[in-house]
Amino acid sequence: MEGIGPGQLNIPSIERKVNEGKVKEFIFALSATMEGDTTAYYIYKKFKNANVNFSSIARGISVGDELEYADEISLGRSIINRLPYNEKD
């Protein structure tokens, strides 16, 4: 959407490292935007058959943020990825 395409992701370098067994996991730490989600999906589709794991950093409501200012997507992701309450927390 901002003019960045697959050619600017340096896929050949990543592919070489995957093929050499130097990559064990892709950790997506991208913007919580359509562009970030599309980039993560593109990389996942490209390497889904490789022997690597895929994960994303947590997304949701930041500690200290006011709930009333949270957008629907962040709030939804926070609920979906909620953790059990532990009295030690």
Side-chain angles (χ1 to χ4, degrees):
M1 293 181 125
E2 294 181 12
I4 298 172
Q8 291 149 307
L9 295 177
N10 201 8
I11 294 297
S13 174
I14 297 169
E15 193 165 30
R16 185 171 48 257
K17 290 176 183 177
V18 168
N19 292 336
E20 292 171 355
K22 294 181 178 179
V23 177
K24 292 181 175 39
E25 181 175 10
F26 283 94
I27 302 174
F28 298 120
L30 302 165
S31 297
T33 61
M34 182 180 287
E35 291 87 357
D37 289 344
T38 301
T39 301
Y41 182 71
Y42 175 82
I43 292 170
Y44 169 77
K45 291 291 282 186
K46 179 83 175 158
F47 296 105
K48 70 179 181 178
N49 294 322
N51 188 24
V52 296
N53 294 317
F54 296 90
S55 62
S56 296
I57 61 170
R59 293 181 179 179
I61 308 302
S62 299
V63 174
D65 277 358
E66 292 294 329
L67 191 58
E68 66 186 286
Y69 301 116
D71 63 280
E72 291 177 16
I73 293 173
S74 296
L75 184 57
R77 286 182 175 153
S78 294
I79 292 169
I80 290 170
N81 296 308
R82 68 191 181 275
L83 302 170
Y85 180 77
N86 185 331
E87 69 178 286
K88 295 176 187 174
D89 293 338

